[in-house]
Amino acid sequence: MAVSRRALLGAGAGVGFLAACGSNTGRGGGKSGSPRLAQWYHQYGEAGVEQAVKRYAAAYDKADVSVQWRPGDYDRQTAAALLTDSGPDVFEGSPSLDQIQGGQVVDLTELLDGVKDDFNPAVLTPKTYDGKVWGIPQVIDMQMLYYRKSLLKDAGVEPPATLDALVDAAKRLTTSKVKGLFLGNDGGAGVLGGTPLNAAGLQLVTEDGKVGFDDPAAARTLGKLHQLYADKSLLLGAPADWSDPAAFLQGLTAMQWSGLWALPQVQKELGDDFGVLPFPKDGSHGAPAVPVGAYGSAVSARGRHRDAAKEYVKWLWVERTDYQEDFALSYGFHIPARISLAKKAAKLRTGSAADAVRFATEHGHAQPLLWTPANQVAYQDGLSRIIKDGAHPESELRSVVRKVAAELDRVKKKS
């Protein structure tokens, strides 16, 4: 099963079964006594990525680095392998709170000395815990709103800058043949996550580890998502879900929420007849919001060559900026995690691509480290009931807040 980098957005480390990791760990002595390091990646769906990362590893002269491509449920495989001696030395992922608190990953803070401010804080923050960095961000994926310029112009609709304007625009753009907006076949509960809350000036989790949406503004904002559903402005049951721009390209919807990865295809098929926007702000305290996510490079605490592994990670994801730009833009369409690289990359300097970089830099929000799978399930279930069932937002959120608060108390007690 080949997984595209779009799956990284919001991806968390899995838990559960012990996968068959195999005995070929790549550890032990390498050529001329140099350490041998095993580096794991999940199986990308984008052509050329595997060859590229193997080329990077082969260019490193201080250790023999064996790249392992891991098909299947990568996050669960990695979570299980970190508990054994047969896992990777270096691995791609988003270290979970359990892995950090359990001492399964190595502190990488020192690797960013002098360059920490050049890493986009939206994706570095979720890899930071207790003031220490546990993963070096590799690349940024983001989501945004695509709109068809010609359809908006014909309907006399301006690109929506507020959530109220988005609700109105979606209704006005809906006809017998075209829906105004596509947020996914479930009406948006799965993909939007905390983005509407961020747009209202709220958070999933506050900096001091408390529920960040125990506020009347949350209910008002999420209630507007139900209005989109009630107005029958949302496209539902599309042949492909939100991550694929097919519905937008086929003219089934005037606006679609999708990812940066779709931009080259949209540009190829629609030319200049489209624009992109962040999720529009809501309320007087709100601001545009953009969900971002990134896998990082981390080091297993059970590796025999931890210092050598750290040195390799620094070389590849801090020092070799040429490889970092190549990884982001040569085998798909992504934003380098380094702000300086994103600003100078030729493919990201004009048009909608430049807009996307600006959105991610100015309005980016990543899922916080304390947002555990249990929190995600409680919130997403509540959001689905609000959007599709018309559940009362205030009462639904009260229940979600109680569950999330209890889960946050649980994880904080372990620290």
Side-chain angles (χ1 to χ4, degrees), residues 19-57:
C21 301
S23 59
N24 181 21
T25 66
R27 293 180 175 164
K31 295 178 182 179
S32 302
S34 61
R36 296 191 65 193
L37 303 176
Q39 182 181 23
W40 283 17
Y41 289 89
H42 84 285
Q43 183 182 17
Y44 286 90
E46 297 154 331
V49 186
E50 181 178 5
Q51 292 76 13
V53 296
K54 288 182 176 178
R55 174 166 50 85
Y56 307 156

PDB file of all heavy atoms in Angstrom, residues 19-57:
ATOM      1  N   ALA A  19       4.581  -5.442  14.940  1.00  0.00           N
ATOM      2  CA  ALA A  19       4.739  -5.844  13.551  1.00  0.00           C
ATOM      3  C   ALA A  19       5.987  -6.703  13.393  1.00  0.00           C
ATOM      4  O   ALA A  19       6.924  -6.635  14.183  1.00  0.00           O
ATOM      5  CB  ALA A  19       4.833  -4.604  12.656  1.00  0.00           C
ATOM      6  N   ALA A  20       5.988  -7.494  12.337  1.00  0.00           N
ATOM      7  CA  ALA A  20       7.170  -8.310  12.042  1.00  0.00           C
ATOM      8  C   ALA A  20       8.245  -7.421  11.438  1.00  0.00           C
ATOM      9  O   ALA A  20       8.229  -7.111  10.264  1.00  0.00           O
ATOM     10  CB  ALA A  20       6.791  -9.429  11.074  1.00  0.00           C
ATOM     11  N   CYS A  21       9.178  -6.984  12.275  1.00  0.00           N
ATOM     12  CA  CYS A  21      10.169  -6.000  11.846  1.00  0.00           C
ATOM     13  C   CYS A  21      11.343  -6.631  11.124  1.00  0.00           C
ATOM     14  O   CYS A  21      12.093  -5.947  10.444  1.00  0.00           O
ATOM     15  CB  CYS A  21      10.685  -5.215  13.048  1.00  0.00           C
ATOM     16  SG  CYS A  21       9.376  -4.352  13.931  1.00  0.00           S
ATOM     17  N   GLY A  22      11.518  -7.918  11.287  1.00  0.00           N
ATOM     18  CA  GLY A  22      12.610  -8.583  10.573  1.00  0.00           C
ATOM     19  C   GLY A  22      13.926  -8.463  11.324  1.00  0.00           C
ATOM     20  O   GLY A  22      14.088  -7.675  12.241  1.00  0.00           O
ATOM     21  N   SER A  23      14.885  -9.244  10.898  1.00  0.00           N
ATOM     22  CA  SER A  23      16.173  -9.254  11.574  1.00  0.00           C
ATOM     23  C   SER A  23      17.202  -8.370  10.910  1.00  0.00           C
ATOM     24  O   SER A  23      18.271  -8.138  11.463  1.00  0.00           O
ATOM     25  CB  SER A  23      16.701 -10.694  11.627  1.00  0.00           C
ATOM     26  OG  SER A  23      16.840 -11.208  10.304  1.00  0.00           O
ATOM     27  N   ASN A  24      16.913  -7.871   9.706  1.00  0.00           N
ATOM     28  CA  ASN A  24      17.874  -7.025   8.995  1.00  0.00           C
ATOM     29  C   ASN A  24      17.758  -5.593   9.486  1.00  0.00           C
ATOM     30  O   ASN A  24      17.097  -4.763   8.881  1.00  0.00           O
ATOM     31  CB  ASN A  24      17.628  -7.103   7.485  1.00  0.00           C
ATOM     32  CG  ASN A  24      18.620  -6.253   6.715  1.00  0.00           C
ATOM     33  OD1 ASN A  24      19.687  -5.925   7.220  1.00  0.00           O
ATOM     34  ND2 ASN A  24      18.253  -5.883   5.494  1.00  0.00           N
ATOM     35  N   THR A  25      18.359  -5.302  10.603  1.00  0.00           N
ATOM     36  CA  THR A  25      18.234  -3.978  11.201  1.00  0.00           C
ATOM     37  C   THR A  25      19.234  -2.991  10.653  1.00  0.00           C
ATOM     38  O   THR A  25      19.109  -1.794  10.863  1.00  0.00           O
ATOM     39  CB  THR A  25      18.444  -4.053  12.727  1.00  0.00           C
ATOM     40  OG1 THR A  25      19.791  -4.440  12.985  1.00  0.00           O
ATOM     41  CG2 THR A  25      17.488  -5.043  13.360  1.00  0.00           C
ATOM     42  N   GLY A  26      20.264  -3.455   9.980  1.00  0.00           N
ATOM     43  CA  GLY A  26      21.280  -2.537   9.468  1.00  0.00           C
ATOM     44  C   GLY A  26      22.269  -2.106  10.520  1.00  0.00           C
ATOM     45  O   GLY A  26      23.074  -1.207  10.292  1.00  0.00           O
ATOM     46  N   ARG A  27      22.218  -2.723  11.710  1.00  0.00           N
ATOM     47  CA  ARG A  27      23.119  -2.317  12.780  1.00  0.00           C
ATOM     48  C   ARG A  27      24.388  -3.143  12.778  1.00  0.00           C
ATOM     49  O   ARG A  27      24.529  -4.108  12.063  1.00  0.00           O
ATOM     50  CB  ARG A  27      22.392  -2.438  14.115  1.00  0.00           C
ATOM     51  CG  ARG A  27      21.256  -1.429  14.226  1.00  0.00           C
ATOM     52  CD  ARG A  27      20.543  -1.557  15.535  1.00  0.00           C
ATOM     53  NE  ARG A  27      19.543  -0.499  15.646  1.00  0.00           N
ATOM     54  CZ  ARG A  27      18.558  -0.512  16.529  1.00  0.00           C
ATOM     55  NH1 ARG A  27      18.433  -1.509  17.367  1.00  0.00           N
ATOM     56  NH2 ARG A  27      17.703   0.483  16.575  1.00  0.00           N
ATOM     57  N   GLY A  28      25.290  -2.740  13.639  1.00  0.00           N
ATOM     58  CA  GLY A  28      26.569  -3.426  13.724  1.00  0.00           C
ATOM     59  C   GLY A  28      27.647  -2.634  13.023  1.00  0.00           C
ATOM     60  O   GLY A  28      27.479  -1.466  12.712  1.00  0.00           O
ATOM     61  N   GLY A  29      28.767  -3.248  12.745  1.00  0.00           N
ATOM     62  CA  GLY A  29      29.888  -2.557  12.135  1.00  0.00           C
ATOM     63  C   GLY A  29      29.739  -2.430  10.637  1.00  0.00           C
ATOM     64  O   GLY A  29      29.350  -3.371   9.958  1.00  0.00           O
ATOM     65  N   GLY A  30      30.051  -1.266  10.103  1.00  0.00           N
ATOM     66  CA  GLY A  30      29.991  -1.031   8.672  1.00  0.00           C
ATOM     67  C   GLY A  30      31.378  -1.113   8.071  1.00  0.00           C
ATOM     68  O   GLY A  30      32.325  -1.619   8.664  1.00  0.00           O
ATOM     69  N   LYS A  31      31.504  -0.584   6.861  1.00  0.00           N
ATOM     70  CA  LYS A  31      32.791  -0.587   6.178  1.00  0.00           C
ATOM     71  C   LYS A  31      33.804   0.236   6.956  1.00  0.00           C
ATOM     72  O   LYS A  31      33.493   1.301   7.473  1.00  0.00           O
ATOM     73  CB  LYS A  31      32.621  -0.007   4.782  1.00  0.00           C
ATOM     74  CG  LYS A  31      31.722  -0.859   3.872  1.00  0.00           C
ATOM     75  CD  LYS A  31      31.561  -0.199   2.525  1.00  0.00           C
ATOM     76  CE  LYS A  31      30.632  -1.026   1.636  1.00  0.00           C
ATOM     77  NZ  LYS A  31      30.429  -0.380   0.319  1.00  0.00           N
ATOM     78  N   SER A  32      35.020  -0.286   7.039  1.00  0.00           N
ATOM     79  CA  SER A  32      36.120   0.406   7.709  1.00  0.00           C
ATOM     80  C   SER A  32      35.775   0.761   9.148  1.00  0.00           C
ATOM     81  O   SER A  32      36.267   1.742   9.693  1.00  0.00           O
ATOM     82  CB  SER A  32      36.489   1.677   6.936  1.00  0.00           C
ATOM     83  OG  SER A  32      36.850   1.366   5.606  1.00  0.00           O
ATOM     84  N   GLY A  33      34.921  -0.052   9.765  1.00  0.00           N
ATOM     85  CA  GLY A  33      34.585   0.160  11.161  1.00  0.00           C
ATOM     86  C   GLY A  33      33.575   1.258  11.415  1.00  0.00           C
ATOM     87  O   GLY A  33      33.272   1.552  12.568  1.00  0.00           O
ATOM     88  N   SER A  34      33.050   1.891  10.388  1.00  0.00           N
ATOM     89  CA  SER A  34      32.058   2.946  10.589  1.00  0.00           C
ATOM     90  C   SER A  34      30.738   2.330  11.045  1.00  0.00           C
ATOM     91  O   SER A  34      30.428   1.187  10.700  1.00  0.00           O
ATOM     92  CB  SER A  34      31.854   3.738   9.298  1.00  0.00           C
ATOM     93  OG  SER A  34      31.381   2.899   8.270  1.00  0.00           O
ATOM     94  N   PRO A  35      29.954   3.051  11.819  1.00  0.00           N
ATOM     95  CA  PRO A  35      28.691   2.490  12.303  1.00  0.00           C
ATOM     96  C   PRO A  35      27.708   2.263  11.168  1.00  0.00           C
ATOM     97  O   PRO A  35      27.726   2.966  10.164  1.00  0.00           O
ATOM     98  CB  PRO A  35      28.177   3.559  13.272  1.00  0.00           C
ATOM     99  CG  PRO A  35      28.829   4.823  12.832  1.00  0.00           C
ATOM    100  CD  PRO A  35      30.179   4.430  12.317  1.00  0.00           C
ATOM    101  N   ARG A  36      26.854   1.261  11.344  1.00  0.00           N
ATOM    102  CA  ARG A  36      25.784   1.004  10.386  1.00  0.00           C
ATOM    103  C   ARG A  36      24.485   1.465  11.001  1.00  0.00           C
ATOM    104  O   ARG A  36      24.152   1.099  12.134  1.00  0.00           O
ATOM    105  CB  ARG A  36      25.721  -0.474  10.025  1.00  0.00           C
ATOM    106  CG  ARG A  36      26.961  -0.991   9.309  1.00  0.00           C
ATOM    107  CD  ARG A  36      26.716  -2.380   8.740  1.00  0.00           C
ATOM    108  NE  ARG A  36      25.704  -2.341   7.700  1.00  0.00           N
ATOM    109  CZ  ARG A  36      25.116  -3.434   7.199  1.00  0.00           C
ATOM    110  NH1 ARG A  36      25.423  -4.632   7.668  1.00  0.00           N
ATOM    111  NH2 ARG A  36      24.202  -3.332   6.253  1.00  0.00           N
ATOM    112  N   LEU A  37      23.734   2.257  10.258  1.00  0.00           N
ATOM    113  CA  LEU A  37      22.478   2.822  10.744  1.00  0.00           C
ATOM    114  C   LEU A  37      21.323   2.350   9.867  1.00  0.00           C
ATOM    115  O   LEU A  37      21.433   2.341   8.641  1.00  0.00           O
ATOM    116  CB  LEU A  37      22.521   4.350  10.719  1.00  0.00           C
ATOM    117  CG  LEU A  37      23.644   5.038  11.494  1.00  0.00           C
ATOM    118  CD1 LEU A  37      23.587   6.547  11.272  1.00  0.00           C
ATOM    119  CD2 LEU A  37      23.538   4.711  12.981  1.00  0.00           C
ATOM    120  N   ALA A  38      20.232   1.986  10.502  1.00  0.00           N
ATOM    121  CA  ALA A  38      19.005   1.640   9.784  1.00  0.00           C
ATOM    122  C   ALA A  38      18.077   2.853   9.819  1.00  0.00           C
ATOM    123  O   ALA A  38      17.770   3.374  10.897  1.00  0.00           O
ATOM    124  CB  ALA A  38      18.325   0.440  10.425  1.00  0.00           C
ATOM    125  N   GLN A  39      17.653   3.298   8.643  1.00  0.00           N
ATOM    126  CA  GLN A  39      16.759   4.440   8.545  1.00  0.00           C
ATOM    127  C   GLN A  39      15.442   3.991   7.914  1.00  0.00           C
ATOM    128  O   GLN A  39      15.423   3.392   6.841  1.00  0.00           O
ATOM    129  CB  GLN A  39      17.383   5.546   7.684  1.00  0.00           C
ATOM    130  CG  GLN A  39      16.529   6.798   7.576  1.00  0.00           C
ATOM    131  CD  GLN A  39      17.177   7.858   6.697  1.00  0.00           C
ATOM    132  OE1 GLN A  39      18.012   7.547   5.851  1.00  0.00           O
ATOM    133  NE2 GLN A  39      16.795   9.108   6.885  1.00  0.00           N
ATOM    134  N   TRP A  40      14.331   4.283   8.578  1.00  0.00           N
ATOM    135  CA  TRP A  40      13.015   3.864   8.103  1.00  0.00           C
ATOM    136  C   TRP A  40      12.243   5.037   7.514  1.00  0.00           C
ATOM    137  O   TRP A  40      12.252   6.151   8.056  1.00  0.00           O
ATOM    138  CB  TRP A  40      12.197   3.279   9.241  1.00  0.00           C
ATOM    139  CG  TRP A  40      12.560   1.891   9.645  1.00  0.00           C
ATOM    140  CD1 TRP A  40      13.706   1.206   9.349  1.00  0.00           C
ATOM    141  CD2 TRP A  40      11.762   1.008  10.435  1.00  0.00           C
ATOM    142  NE1 TRP A  40      13.678  -0.042   9.903  1.00  0.00           N
ATOM    143  CE2 TRP A  40      12.494  -0.193  10.587  1.00  0.00           C
ATOM    144  CE3 TRP A  40      10.524   1.113  11.036  1.00  0.00           C
ATOM    145  CZ2 TRP A  40      12.008  -1.282  11.314  1.00  0.00           C
ATOM    146  CZ3 TRP A  40      10.033   0.045  11.764  1.00  0.00           C
ATOM    147  CH2 TRP A  40      10.763  -1.146  11.898  1.00  0.00           C
ATOM    148  N   TYR A  41      11.548   4.759   6.417  1.00  0.00           N
ATOM    149  CA  TYR A  41      10.567   5.680   5.831  1.00  0.00           C
ATOM    150  C   TYR A  41       9.281   4.908   5.579  1.00  0.00           C
ATOM    151  O   TYR A  41       9.323   3.708   5.291  1.00  0.00           O
ATOM    152  CB  TYR A  41      11.039   6.219   4.479  1.00  0.00           C
ATOM    153  CG  TYR A  41      12.178   7.202   4.514  1.00  0.00           C
ATOM    154  CD1 TYR A  41      13.500   6.761   4.469  1.00  0.00           C
ATOM    155  CD2 TYR A  41      11.946   8.581   4.549  1.00  0.00           C
ATOM    156  CE1 TYR A  41      14.554   7.655   4.471  1.00  0.00           C
ATOM    157  CE2 TYR A  41      12.994   9.489   4.545  1.00  0.00           C
ATOM    158  CZ  TYR A  41      14.294   9.025   4.504  1.00  0.00           C
ATOM    159  OH  TYR A  41      15.337   9.916   4.496  1.00  0.00           O
ATOM    160  N   HIS A  42       8.145   5.612   5.626  1.00  0.00           N
ATOM    161  CA  HIS A  42       6.919   4.968   5.167  1.00  0.00           C
ATOM    162  C   HIS A  42       6.937   4.943   3.638  1.00  0.00           C
ATOM    163  O   HIS A  42       7.716   5.657   3.006  1.00  0.00           O
ATOM    164  CB  HIS A  42       5.686   5.699   5.688  1.00  0.00           C
ATOM    165  CG  HIS A  42       5.251   6.876   4.887  1.00  0.00           C
ATOM    166  ND1 HIS A  42       5.908   8.090   4.918  1.00  0.00           N
ATOM    167  CD2 HIS A  42       4.214   7.041   4.017  1.00  0.00           C
ATOM    168  CE1 HIS A  42       5.282   8.940   4.118  1.00  0.00           C
ATOM    169  NE2 HIS A  42       4.268   8.337   3.552  1.00  0.00           N
ATOM    170  N   GLN A  43       6.110   4.098   3.050  1.00  0.00           N
ATOM    171  CA  GLN A  43       6.121   3.928   1.601  1.00  0.00           C
ATOM    172  C   GLN A  43       5.330   5.053   0.941  1.00  0.00           C
ATOM    173  O   GLN A  43       4.115   5.095   0.989  1.00  0.00           O
ATOM    174  CB  GLN A  43       5.508   2.577   1.217  1.00  0.00           C
ATOM    175  CG  GLN A  43       5.557   2.295  -0.282  1.00  0.00           C
ATOM    176  CD  GLN A  43       4.899   0.985  -0.642  1.00  0.00           C
ATOM    177  OE1 GLN A  43       4.151   0.432   0.141  1.00  0.00           O
ATOM    178  NE2 GLN A  43       5.171   0.485  -1.835  1.00  0.00           N
ATOM    179  N   TYR A  44       6.054   5.958   0.300  1.00  0.00           N
ATOM    180  CA  TYR A  44       5.415   7.072  -0.395  1.00  0.00           C
ATOM    181  C   TYR A  44       4.777   6.617  -1.702  1.00  0.00           C
ATOM    182  O   TYR A  44       5.270   5.709  -2.368  1.00  0.00           O
ATOM    183  CB  TYR A  44       6.452   8.163  -0.713  1.00  0.00           C
ATOM    184  CG  TYR A  44       6.893   8.968   0.475  1.00  0.00           C
ATOM    185  CD1 TYR A  44       7.985   8.566   1.243  1.00  0.00           C
ATOM    186  CD2 TYR A  44       6.228  10.124   0.844  1.00  0.00           C
ATOM    187  CE1 TYR A  44       8.397   9.305   2.339  1.00  0.00           C
ATOM    188  CE2 TYR A  44       6.637  10.869   1.934  1.00  0.00           C
ATOM    189  CZ  TYR A  44       7.714  10.456   2.681  1.00  0.00           C
ATOM    190  OH  TYR A  44       8.119  11.188   3.771  1.00  0.00           O
ATOM    191  N   GLY A  45       3.706   7.295  -2.090  1.00  0.00           N
ATOM    192  CA  GLY A  45       3.069   7.019  -3.358  1.00  0.00           C
ATOM    193  C   GLY A  45       3.626   7.840  -4.498  1.00  0.00           C
ATOM    194  O   GLY A  45       3.223   7.659  -5.652  1.00  0.00           O
ATOM    195  N   GLU A  46       4.533   8.749  -4.206  1.00  0.00           N
ATOM    196  CA  GLU A  46       5.074   9.643  -5.224  1.00  0.00           C
ATOM    197  C   GLU A  46       6.335   9.057  -5.838  1.00  0.00           C
ATOM    198  O   GLU A  46       7.272   8.678  -5.134  1.00  0.00           O
ATOM    199  CB  GLU A  46       5.369  11.013  -4.592  1.00  0.00           C
ATOM    200  CG  GLU A  46       4.103  11.678  -4.082  1.00  0.00           C
ATOM    201  CD  GLU A  46       4.372  12.662  -2.959  1.00  0.00           C
ATOM    202  OE1 GLU A  46       5.342  12.477  -2.215  1.00  0.00           O
ATOM    203  OE2 GLU A  46       3.584  13.612  -2.830  1.00  0.00           O
ATOM    204  N   ALA A  47       6.347   8.978  -7.157  1.00  0.00           N
ATOM    205  CA  ALA A  47       7.465   8.361  -7.869  1.00  0.00           C
ATOM    206  C   ALA A  47       8.764   9.110  -7.599  1.00  0.00           C
ATOM    207  O   ALA A  47       8.807  10.335  -7.621  1.00  0.00           O
ATOM    208  CB  ALA A  47       7.173   8.346  -9.372  1.00  0.00           C
ATOM    209  N   GLY A  48       9.808   8.349  -7.339  1.00  0.00           N
ATOM    210  CA  GLY A  48      11.139   8.919  -7.195  1.00  0.00           C
ATOM    211  C   GLY A  48      11.580   9.174  -5.775  1.00  0.00           C
ATOM    212  O   GLY A  48      12.778   9.408  -5.534  1.00  0.00           O
ATOM    213  N   VAL A  49      10.675   9.145  -4.820  1.00  0.00           N
ATOM    214  CA  VAL A  49      11.046   9.468  -3.435  1.00  0.00           C
ATOM    215  C   VAL A  49      12.001   8.414  -2.863  1.00  0.00           C
ATOM    216  O   VAL A  49      13.001   8.754  -2.234  1.00  0.00           O
ATOM    217  CB  VAL A  49       9.803   9.591  -2.524  1.00  0.00           C
ATOM    218  CG1 VAL A  49      10.215  10.059  -1.136  1.00  0.00           C
ATOM    219  CG2 VAL A  49       8.788  10.540  -3.120  1.00  0.00           C
ATOM    220  N   GLU A  50      11.690   7.143  -3.086  1.00  0.00           N
ATOM    221  CA  GLU A  50      12.536   6.086  -2.534  1.00  0.00           C
ATOM    222  C   GLU A  50      13.958   6.181  -3.086  1.00  0.00           C
ATOM    223  O   GLU A  50      14.936   6.078  -2.342  1.00  0.00           O
ATOM    224  CB  GLU A  50      11.951   4.708  -2.855  1.00  0.00           C
ATOM    225  CG  GLU A  50      12.770   3.560  -2.284  1.00  0.00           C
ATOM    226  CD  GLU A  50      12.165   2.202  -2.551  1.00  0.00           C
ATOM    227  OE1 GLU A  50      11.144   2.131  -3.275  1.00  0.00           O
ATOM    228  OE2 GLU A  50      12.711   1.202  -2.053  1.00  0.00           O
ATOM    229  N   GLN A  51      14.073   6.388  -4.385  1.00  0.00           N
ATOM    230  CA  GLN A  51      15.391   6.509  -4.995  1.00  0.00           C
ATOM    231  C   GLN A  51      16.138   7.725  -4.443  1.00  0.00           C
ATOM    232  O   GLN A  51      17.358   7.672  -4.226  1.00  0.00           O
ATOM    233  CB  GLN A  51      15.267   6.617  -6.513  1.00  0.00           C
ATOM    234  CG  GLN A  51      14.767   5.358  -7.204  1.00  0.00           C
ATOM    235  CD  GLN A  51      13.274   5.116  -7.053  1.00  0.00           C
ATOM    236  OE1 GLN A  51      12.536   6.011  -6.636  1.00  0.00           O
ATOM    237  NE2 GLN A  51      12.829   3.916  -7.380  1.00  0.00           N
ATOM    238  N   ALA A  52      15.414   8.808  -4.188  1.00  0.00           N
ATOM    239  CA  ALA A  52      16.042  10.031  -3.684  1.00  0.00           C
ATOM    240  C   ALA A  52      16.614   9.833  -2.288  1.00  0.00           C
ATOM    241  O   ALA A  52      17.769  10.187  -2.013  1.00  0.00           O
ATOM    242  CB  ALA A  52      15.041  11.181  -3.688  1.00  0.00           C
ATOM    243  N   VAL A  53      15.823   9.252  -1.373  1.00  0.00           N
ATOM    244  CA  VAL A  53      16.311   9.115   0.004  1.00  0.00           C
ATOM    245  C   VAL A  53      17.454   8.107   0.079  1.00  0.00           C
ATOM    246  O   VAL A  53      18.346   8.231   0.932  1.00  0.00           O
ATOM    247  CB  VAL A  53      15.171   8.757   0.977  1.00  0.00           C
ATOM    248  CG1 VAL A  53      14.152   9.885   1.025  1.00  0.00           C
ATOM    249  CG2 VAL A  53      14.494   7.447   0.610  1.00  0.00           C
ATOM    250  N   LYS A  54      17.449   7.119  -0.806  1.00  0.00           N
ATOM    251  CA  LYS A  54      18.585   6.185  -0.844  1.00  0.00           C
ATOM    252  C   LYS A  54      19.827   6.875  -1.391  1.00  0.00           C
ATOM    253  O   LYS A  54      20.947   6.592  -0.953  1.00  0.00           O
ATOM    254  CB  LYS A  54      18.219   4.961  -1.681  1.00  0.00           C
ATOM    255  CG  LYS A  54      17.211   4.044  -0.982  1.00  0.00           C
ATOM    256  CD  LYS A  54      16.899   2.807  -1.806  1.00  0.00           C
ATOM    257  CE  LYS A  54      15.974   1.866  -1.034  1.00  0.00           C
ATOM    258  NZ  LYS A  54      15.618   0.667  -1.821  1.00  0.00           N
ATOM    259  N   ARG A  55      19.610   7.808  -2.306  1.00  0.00           N
ATOM    260  CA  ARG A  55      20.741   8.574  -2.836  1.00  0.00           C
ATOM    261  C   ARG A  55      21.320   9.478  -1.751  1.00  0.00           C
ATOM    262  O   ARG A  55      22.544   9.600  -1.625  1.00  0.00           O
ATOM    263  CB  ARG A  55      20.273   9.404  -4.038  1.00  0.00           C
ATOM    264  CG  ARG A  55      21.310  10.366  -4.598  1.00  0.00           C
ATOM    265  CD  ARG A  55      20.880  10.885  -5.965  1.00  0.00           C
ATOM    266  NE  ARG A  55      19.522  11.389  -5.967  1.00  0.00           N
ATOM    267  CZ  ARG A  55      19.187  12.631  -5.608  1.00  0.00           C
ATOM    268  NH1 ARG A  55      20.126  13.465  -5.193  1.00  0.00           N
ATOM    269  NH2 ARG A  55      17.938  13.030  -5.669  1.00  0.00           N
ATOM    270  N   TYR A  56      20.471  10.104  -0.959  1.00  0.00           N
ATOM    271  CA  TYR A  56      20.959  10.941   0.139  1.00  0.00           C
ATOM    272  C   TYR A  56      21.805  10.091   1.102  1.00  0.00           C
ATOM    273  O   TYR A  56      22.901  10.493   1.509  1.00  0.00           O
ATOM    274  CB  TYR A  56      19.802  11.551   0.942  1.00  0.00           C
ATOM    275  CG  TYR A  56      18.757  12.309   0.173  1.00  0.00           C
ATOM    276  CD1 TYR A  56      17.471  12.460   0.699  1.00  0.00           C
ATOM    277  CD2 TYR A  56      19.021  12.893  -1.067  1.00  0.00           C
ATOM    278  CE1 TYR A  56      16.490  13.157   0.030  1.00  0.00           C
ATOM    279  CE2 TYR A  56      18.043  13.587  -1.755  1.00  0.00           C
ATOM    280  CZ  TYR A  56      16.772  13.711  -1.205  1.00  0.00           C
ATOM    281  OH  TYR A  56      15.789  14.404  -1.870  1.00  0.00           O
ATOM    282  N   ALA A  57      21.263   8.928   1.477  1.00  0.00           N
ATOM    283  CA  ALA A  57      21.954   8.069   2.445  1.00  0.00           C
ATOM    284  C   ALA A  57      23.307   7.612   1.917  1.00  0.00           C
ATOM    285  O   ALA A  57      24.293   7.562   2.662  1.00  0.00           O
ATOM    286  CB  ALA A  57      21.078   6.863   2.783  1.00  0.00           C
TER     287      ALA A  57
END
